[in-house]
């Protein structure tokens, strides 16, 4: 059966592969998804480099920018920055750069603006830039090297090729792309690693979108048809001899704020071939010294999800209006965007005592809902309506009864969710809940132990102010957009997570992504027995406990 041929149940082979992959990579109380043991001898290098490619160091931006964090969400008030080496540098600084080095005894490791499951960083970032003073006098295709905060020129493009590639785009726009190196995650997490790679991509979409907002720019995902790998040179076998290959994920346009609705990239076969025929530089470094354990199921699900169906802008008319959003102030808090973005960290432990106000809680949740014009940051980066809703474990939110709650991010899904969840759930709106925020109390009670238990026994899920499961409208979404949308669901989950990370940082607390949870145990909590809805990610938010044994060093020497 070919990948597109339909079987009796109406799903094609690619969708069946996804369903099978998802099922076999669930963690259960009695059995974890298949993974090996961590062989330290093959631990992958977190830094990809293209040896021989010209390296352009970006000037590390001076600290002290005064833009407030909340202004990222009001980006129509930010004057768009011209495209220059300085603005390009800030864009990567806020999205994919190192933010600190940590040291414990003889071990040192870096942290980045974009979080990553297990800090393994499978995501690689690329940019297609026009001629920019200080970077290059001709358009080029670059790999971002986070350790150096530099761009490696992989290819030099003829001006005519650049013009053909960007013909339908506004001036000063450029393209960014993300790829995954599955091995970096599968080294530790085995078969489940493909999921984590996709979560990480979602977080990176978030960091890229917020970085663009800090510069007054917008960012939207594009539909590159099936030609992305060719555009990014990932099929250049000679450049990857002895090195781990990269899987193409997505292409996005970064553009000045005042043009909307760009979803299309005229990446014709001809243009993709012209890019491929350009002058290329560099050979990828090997990340492990050979002997990588292979996880064939990851290659299979990666192939089955690599032919996206174009997503035309969906109808957001039922969503709240931007200005009156939830009767909550759009501007609040004194922390700067720089402080929040570069200071973002995962809590390794939660204190089990910090509570937050209902106002802060509502504000965080309101940030997770798109607006009617779908122009609110960061949701304007993705053209589809929310497919992910939250099943919340509320532990310590002042004025709110502890218990299970649901945030319905698309109110059109309220009835389907009521149908699929436990029939005895209350579906009561808290009296203090702002109008327009579809938050419901499902069941009162202390669910701290339950939250930790379903999160692979991790105490952080019970010791925070709240934790949550991200419940996806799974089967319907794949039926509508095909198997490749499996990735998009994880991207949406990662994007939710990135907002929560930043919101927590802005509120003076912390968050942590939780990729390790017992899938069906979570479904059981909410009474979901239908395979059509699946929990794709967990998160916890609360008062962190610092690990005082660690020393923190600056990300870049000159600081
Ligand atoms: C997709 C994803 C899954 C994660 N899962 C867990 C988890 O199950 N438990 C945990 O303690 N931390 C988890 N984390 C947090 C990472 O370990 C953390 O992001 C990484 O160590 C980098 O640290 P930083 O977030 O402070 O930059 C997860 C992070 C991501 C992005």
């Amino acid at each position: 059966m070919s990948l597109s041929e339909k079987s009796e149940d109406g799903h094609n082979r690619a969708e069946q592969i996804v369903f099978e992959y998802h099922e076999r990579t669930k963690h259960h109380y009695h059995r974890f998804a298949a993974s090996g043991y961590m062989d330290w001898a093959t631990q992958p290098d977190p830094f990809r480099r293209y040896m021989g490619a010209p390296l352009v160091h970006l000037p590390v931006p001076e600290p002290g920018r005064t833009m407030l964090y909340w202004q990222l969400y009001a980006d129509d008030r930010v004057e768009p920055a011209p495209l220059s080496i300085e603005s390009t540098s800030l864009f990567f600084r806020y999205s994919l750069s190192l933010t600190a080095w940590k040291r414990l005894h003889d071990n040192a490791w870096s942290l980045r603006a974009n979080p990553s499951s297990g800090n393994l960083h499978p995501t690689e970032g690329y940019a297609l830039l026009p001629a920019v003073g200080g970077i290059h006098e001709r358009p080029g295709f670059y790999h971002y090297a986070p350790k150096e905060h530099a761009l490696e020129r992989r290819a030099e493009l003829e001006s005519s090729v650049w013009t053909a590639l960007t013909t339908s785009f506004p001036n000063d726009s450029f393209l960014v792309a993300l790829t995954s190196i599955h091995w970096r995650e599968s080294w530790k997490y085995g078969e489940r690693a493909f999921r984590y790679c996709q979560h990480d991509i979602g977080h990176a979409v978030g960091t890229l979108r917020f970085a663009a907002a800090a510069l007054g720019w917008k960012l939207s995902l594009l539909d590159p048809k099936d030609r992305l790998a060719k555009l990014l040179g990932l099929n250049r076998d000679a450049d990857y001899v002895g090195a781990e290959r990269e899987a193409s994920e997505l292409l996005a346009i970064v553009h000045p704020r005042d043009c909307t609705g760009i979803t299309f990239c005229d990446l014709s076969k001809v243009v993709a071939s012209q890019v491929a025929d350009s002058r290329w530089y560099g050979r990828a470094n090997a990340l492990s010294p050979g002997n990588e354990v292979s996880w064939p199921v990851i290659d299979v699900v990666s192939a089955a999800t690599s032919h996206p169906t174009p997503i035309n802008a969906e109808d957001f008319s039922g969503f709240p209006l931007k200005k009156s959003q939830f009767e909550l102030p759009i501007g609040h808090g004194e922390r700067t965007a720089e402080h929040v973005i570069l200071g973002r960290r995962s809590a390794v432990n939660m204190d089990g005592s910090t509570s937050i106000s209902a106002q802060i809680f509502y504000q965080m949740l309101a940030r997770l809902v798109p607006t009617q014009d779908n122009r609110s940051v960061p949701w304007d980066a993705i053209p589809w309506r929310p497919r992910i809703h939250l099943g919340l474990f509320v532990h310590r939110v002042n004025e709110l009864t502890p218990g299970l709650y649901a945030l319905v991010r698309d109110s059109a899904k309220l009835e389907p969710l009521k149908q699929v969840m436990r029939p005895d759930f209350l579906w009561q709106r808290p009296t203090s809940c702002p109008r327009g925020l579809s938050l419901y109390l499902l069941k009162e009670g202390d669910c701290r132990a339950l939250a930790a238990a379903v999160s692979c026994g991790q105490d952080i899920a019970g010791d925070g102010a709240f934790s949550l499961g991200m419940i996806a409208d799974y089967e319907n979404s794949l039926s509508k957009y095909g198997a490749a949308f499996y990735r998009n669901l994880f991207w949406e989950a990662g994007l939710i997570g990135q907002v929560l990370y930043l919101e927590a940082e802005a509120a003076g607390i912390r968050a942590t992504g939780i990729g390790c949870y017992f899938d069906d145990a979570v479904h059981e909590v909410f009474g979901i027995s239908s395979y059509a809805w699946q929990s794709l990610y967990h998160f916890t938010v609360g008062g962190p406990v610092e690990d005082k044994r660690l020393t923190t060093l600056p990300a870049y020497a000159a600081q």
Side-chain angles (χ1 to χ4, degrees):
M1 186 177 172
S2 75
L3 284 182
S4 57
E5 207 176 314
K6 300 258 181 202
S7 69
E8 273 170 21
D9 61 3
H11 292 294
N12 64 33
R13 180 72 195 120
E15 286 155 38
Q16 282 167 0
I17 288 171
V18 166
F19 295 144
E20 283 159 26
Y21 171 78
H22 192 71
E23 201 55 31
R24 73 184 269 161
T25 55
K26 285 181 170 174
H27 287 328
H28 300 275
Y29 280 129
H30 57 280
R31 173 175 58 80
F32 281 86
S35 67
Y37 73 102
M38 279 191 289
D39 177 1
W40 295 105
T42 61
Q43 184 181 16
D45 184 341
F47 300 114
R48 165 127 287 170
R49 289 296 309 275
Y50 286 91
M51 312 320 292
L55 187 70
V56 184
H57 283 276
L58 298 170
V60 178
E62 286 292 323
R65 282 167 193 274
T66 54
M67 180 189 199
L68 294 175
Y69 163 71
W70 65 261
Q71 290 175 315
L72 294 172
Y73 296 91
D75 70 335
D76 47 358
R77 295 186 215 169
V78 182
E79 191 55 35
L83 184 57
S84 64
I85 187 169
E86 287 79 20
S87 56
T88 307
S89 173
L90 190 73
F91 179 69
F92 282 107
R93 180 81 178 109
Y94 280 3
S95 53
L96 301 175
S97 76
L98 305 193
T99 50
W101 282 91
K102 293 277 175 184
R103 187 183 291 280
L104 178 64
H105 310 306
D106 291 339
N107 288 331
W109 63 96
S110 55
L111 298 176
R112 304 192 194 187
N114 55 321
S116 168
S117 185
N119 204 24
L120 296 167
H121 289 285
T123 309
E124 294 292 328
Y126 292 86
L128 280 135
L129 294 170
V132 176
I135 296 182
H136 196 45
E137 70 271 13
R138 293 170 64 174
F141 170 54
Y142 299 87
H143 170 246
Y144 177 66
K147 193 171 169 194
E148 293 76 14
H149 188 54
L151 291 173
E152 292 181 298
R153 195 186 319 130
R154 284 282 286 135
E156 194 166 75
L157 309 183
E158 294 295 336
S159 297
S160 57
V161 177
W162 175 260
T163 309
L165 186 65
T166 57
T167 183
S168 52
F169 300 154
N171 287 342
D172 263 5
S173 43
F174 64 96
L175 300 170
V176 286
L178 297 175
T179 68
S180 294
I181 303 178
H182 297 142
W183 163 243
R184 284 219 185 99
E185 283 294 311
S186 60
W187 169 73
K188 179 170 180 186
Y189 295 114
E191 293 193 347
R192 199 168 158 104
F194 182 76
R195 298 183 180 205
Y196 297 152
C197 289
Q198 301 309 320
H199 283 133
D200 283 10
I201 293 289
H203 280 283
V205 170
T207 60
L208 290 166
R209 179 63 192 99
F210 284 112
L215 287 149
W217 299 342
K218 287 204 175 291
L219 178 143
S220 333
L221 295 199
L222 291 172
D223 162 33
K225 307 205 181 74
D226 283 341
R227 300 189 185 116
L228 189 52
K230 195 166 186 186
L231 182 75
L232 307 183
L234 304 179
N235 56 352
R236 293 175 57 81
D237 294 342
D239 294 356
Y240 293 91
V241 174
E244 295 75 3
R245 301 304 284 249
E246 299 181 23
S248 59
E249 297 286 2
L250 57 84
L251 183 69
I253 179 172
V254 184
H255 51 102
R257 66 173 182 210
D258 50 352
C259 46
T260 52
I262 305 170
T263 55
F264 179 69
C265 174
D266 190 14
L267 185 55
S268 66
K269 254 190 191 148
V270 176
V271 175
S273 299
Q274 284 172 336
V275 173
D277 291 342
S278 302
R279 180 160 182 208
W280 286 74
Y281 303 89
R283 288 178 66 157
N285 60 338
L287 306 175
S288 293
N291 305 324
E292 287 97 336
V293 181
S294 79
W295 297 98
V297 73
I298 291 186
D299 299 333
V300 172
V301 74
S302 179
T305 55
S306 61
H307 304 287
T309 305
I311 301 163
N312 294 322
E314 294 191 340
D315 174 19
F316 284 78
S317 52
F319 285 79
L321 280 168
K322 188 172 190 170
K323 293 236 153 57
S324 61
Q325 191 178 14
F326 315 119
E327 299 164 340
L328 290 163
I330 185 159
H332 74 109
E334 293 304 313
R335 293 206 168 178
T336 62
E338 177 182 283
H339 177 117
V340 170
I341 289 173
L342 299 181
R344 181 210 63 76
R345 300 279 181 276
S346 294
V348 178
N349 288 301
M350 294 286 187
D351 61 14
S353 58
T354 299
S355 53
I356 59 171
S357 69
Q359 180 78 6
I360 295 272
F361 180 63
Y362 295 143
Q363 181 74 48
M364 288 177 172
L365 298 186
R367 293 273 198 236
L368 302 177
V369 184
T371 46
Q372 211 171 85
D373 56 5
N374 193 27
R375 291 178 75 170
S376 58
V377 176
W379 305 107
D380 58 352
I382 57 175
W384 63 91
R385 285 163 70 125
R387 296 302 202 278
I388 295 201
H389 309 276
L390 307 187
L392 294 138
F393 302 79
V394 172
H395 311 311
R396 276 172 284 269
V397 177
N398 299 338
E399 307 145 48
L400 276 195
T401 316
L404 293 180
Y405 287 73
L407 177 74
V408 183
R409 292 180 60 241
D410 176 349
S411 48
K413 294 293 171 183
L414 177 59
E415 282 314 312
L417 277 163
K418 281 185 177 173
Q419 294 300 319
V420 84
M421 287 191 178
R422 286 188 187 285
D424 58 345
F425 277 164
L426 301 170
W427 293 98
Q428 244 168 39
R429 279 175 50 74
T431 46
S432 59
C433 183
R435 190 161 52 92
L437 191 62
S438 294
L439 178 72
Y440 297 89
L441 169 66
L442 302 178
K443 187 181 175 185
E444 289 184 11
D446 178 350
C447 46
R448 289 174 296 178
L450 180 65
V454 297
S455 295
C456 295
Q458 301 185 78
D459 290 339
I460 44 172
D463 289 343
F466 67 96
S467 64
L468 56 96
M470 301 191 196
I471 297 165
D473 189 355
Y474 174 66
E475 200 173 13
N476 269 335
S477 305
L478 297 196
S479 296
K480 177 158 187 186
Y481 285 125
F485 202 77
Y486 185 57
R487 298 188 193 210
N488 301 50
L489 291 175
F490 283 95
W491 300 349
E492 185 180 327
L495 195 45
I496 292 172
Q498 194 57 27
V499 174
L500 289 173
Y501 264 126
L502 297 188
E503 280 292 300
E505 205 69 41
I509 51 175
R510 289 240 146 105
T512 306
I514 300 183
C516 188
Y517 59 89
F518 297 119
D519 301 65
D520 287 339
V522 179
H523 301 148
E524 168 74 25
V525 168
F526 293 97
I528 297 172
S529 56
S530 159
Y531 189 70
W533 295 79
Q534 295 287 302
S535 181
L536 295 189
Y537 195 17
H538 272 218
F539 235 80
T540 179
V541 178
V545 180
E546 295 295 329
D547 186 342
K548 298 234 165 64
R549 297 168 307 155
L550 304 188
T551 314
T552 304
L553 301 165
Y556 299 104
Q559 287 187 303

